């Protein structure tokens, strides 16, 4: 399991851990937790934006979230 110290719910930690493994078995299993919901992606630093962009693509290609918001602490983008 990926360390996620700011997420208190063990169930949500498992959802996130399984979501980013990109296995088709998990897409349907967790779709009801993501589809139609507002999603918050937190990244410590965005330098080129590739990992954040890929995370958003994974969410929109695999699920149907209501919205995706990205929060970052530091951005090197100009």
């Amino acid at each position: 399991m990926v360390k996620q110290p700011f997420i208190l719910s063990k169930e949500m930690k498992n959802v996130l851990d399984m979501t980013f493994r990109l296995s088709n078995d998990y897409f349907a299993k967790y779709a009801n937790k993501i589809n139609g919901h507002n999603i918050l992606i937190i990244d410590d630093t965005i330098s080129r934006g590739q990992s954040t962009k890929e995370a958003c693509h994974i969410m929109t290609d695999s699920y149907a979230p209501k919205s995706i918001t990205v929060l970052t602490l530091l951005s090197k983008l100009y």
Side-chain angles (χ1 to χ4, degrees), residues 27-46:
F27 289 149
K29 186 175 181 180
Y30 294 105
N32 65 337
K33 298 195 180 274
I34 296 173
N35 292 344
H37 289 84
N38 298 311
I39 304 300
L40 174 62
I41 297 175
I42 301 173
D43 195 356
D44 59 347
T45 304
I46 295 178

Side-chain angles (χ1 to χ4, degrees), residues 49-60:
Q50 286 302 111
S51 60
T52 304
K53 181 179 175 181
E54 186 62 26
C56 291
H57 281 246
I58 290 168
M59 296 303 284
T60 57

Side-chain angles (χ1 to χ4, degrees), residues 17-28:
D17 190 45
M18 295 300 142
T19 298
F20 290 108
R21 288 187 186 182
L22 302 179
S23 171
N24 289 331
D25 297 338
Y26 297 110
F27 289 149

